Amino acid sequence: MAQSIAMYEQDIEAGQTGERFRVSFDLVVTDAEALWHAAARIAFRQPGITIAEVEDVLGPTEDPMLAECLAMLTAPDAVPGCTPLGFAVTAVASPHLAQVREHTMRTLAVRDFLAASGVATKQ
């Protein structure tokens, strides 16, 4: 795949360009084990790959690396008449986690301020 992307990049540099589009979608992982097994089936299509190599890429079944599993399953195949320019899987923080993180950061900032001021804080 890396070789085919390199060939496409050469075509782009040679002036063979067109309109650019971004196709994206969001999803929620509800069954990490099922996700891992589906990604592993794709990984095992590579000749000679071992379970150790699959686990290096996807993590173990009991603690999968979700982004890597999703990337394995959603990486685009060649689309006729199109040149792939990039592909990424990123985690989107939930609003609740963002609020917890913000509250924690404010709490730590206050604690650090009080400590720097010489005011005793309750541990």
Side-chain angles (χ1 to χ4, degrees), residues 5 8-9 12 17-22 76 82-87:
I5 290 174
Y8 289 129
E9 288 173 346
I12 290 170
T17 60
E19 284 188 75
R20 183 175 177 158
F21 294 88
R22 175 171 289 134
C82 298
T83 301
L85 297 177
F87 172 74

Side-chain angles (χ1 to χ4, degrees), residues 35-114:
L35 175 66
W36 186 92
H37 284 286
R41 280 193 296 277
I42 292 172
F44 279 118
R45 291 179 188 165
Q46 299 298 317
I49 196 162
T50 67
I51 186 68
E53 292 168 324
V54 170
E55 287 182 343
D56 282 346
V57 173
L58 303 176
T61 309
E62 57 279 352
D63 186 23
M65 294 185 286
L66 300 178
E68 285 76 359
C69 290
L70 288 167
M72 182 72 71
L73 289 166
T74 61
D77 287 332
V79 176
C82 298
T83 301
L85 297 177
F87 172 74
V89 175
T90 56
V92 178
S94 73
H96 173 71
L97 289 177
Q99 289 171 350
V100 169
R101 186 177 299 115
E102 183 179 329
H103 174 75
T104 302
M105 295 305 288
R106 282 195 312 261
T107 302
L108 292 173
V110 168
R111 186 200 66 197
D112 291 345
F113 173 76
L114 293 174

